[in-house]
Amino acid sequence: MEITINSLESIDLAARRFVDNMGRGRVFAFYGKMGAGKTTFIKAVCEQLGVEDVITSPTFAIVNEYTSESSGDTIYHFDFYRIKKLDEVYDMGYEEYFYGGGLCFIEWPELIESLLPEDATKVTISENADGTRTVSF
């Protein structure tokens, strides 16, 4: 499926379409260049899922945990950009997150590719020449 984000003003609509088409997936691996809008889109998706907390990039924390006020789901937002070795991911107990039943949104999954569950949904965000973004999954 492809979703086009025409502008920042339309990101909530795009996030709603994404949520409506997530299916039963629990782990979503977001691929895209620096500045493609991964964090911004994940923030919008979390808001559509009912997260009322302030949603920030987990660049330094590696993972942020949120709770959906509407469903009670636990949502984990990962940013593996600063990971230097896979041992760091083992040490943080990634298996509890990836296989624990919560929703996982992962930025920079290419850095931990071998640890992703087989059923992880690959999501690619591409920046188009006209400034729009395309979300493919």
Side-chain angles (χ1 to χ4, degrees):
M1 172 169 210
E2 285 191 351
I3 300 170
T4 300
I5 305 171
N6 292 312
S7 66
L8 199 51
E9 290 75 29
S10 68
I11 198 166
D12 291 335
L13 178 60
R16 171 55 33 207
R17 284 192 63 211
F18 182 83
V19 168
D20 290 345
N21 290 282
M22 285 172 49
R24 300 174 75 68
R26 302 309 285 172
V27 178
F28 295 84
F30 285 80
Y31 295 82
K33 294 180 180 178
M34 180 77 73
K38 295 180 297 293
T39 301
T40 303
F41 187 69
I42 291 171
K43 178 181 184 291
V45 168
C46 287
E47 289 169 350
Q48 292 298 315
L49 288 168
V51 174
E52 295 180 6
D53 293 333
V54 174
I55 301 164
T56 59
S57 173
T59 300
F60 295 101
I62 300 176
V63 62
N64 287 343
E65 179 178 335
Y66 304 108
T67 301
S68 167
E69 297 301 322
S70 57
S71 69
D73 278 341
T74 301
I75 300 168
Y76 301 104
H77 179 190
F78 297 87
D79 185 335
F80 289 117
Y81 183 73
R82 297 191 180 282
I83 290 295
K84 302 278 188 268
K85 298 181 289 187
L86 280 181
D87 286 346
E88 296 174 63
V89 183
Y90 285 110
D91 290 346
M92 71 178 284
Y94 81 94
E95 291 169 317
E96 291 178 38
Y97 295 107
F98 291 3
Y99 299 100
L103 280 171
C104 296
F105 299 127
I106 304 166
E107 294 186 54
W108 301 103
E110 52 269 50
L111 299 176
I112 60 148
E113 196 83 41
S114 64
L115 303 180
L116 291 175
E118 282 186 21
D119 63 349
T121 301
K122 181 178 180 178
V123 182
T124 302
I125 300 180
S126 305
E127 184 175 5
N128 304 312
D130 62 0
T132 63
R133 305 292 198 269
T134 300
V135 179
S136 306
F137 61 103

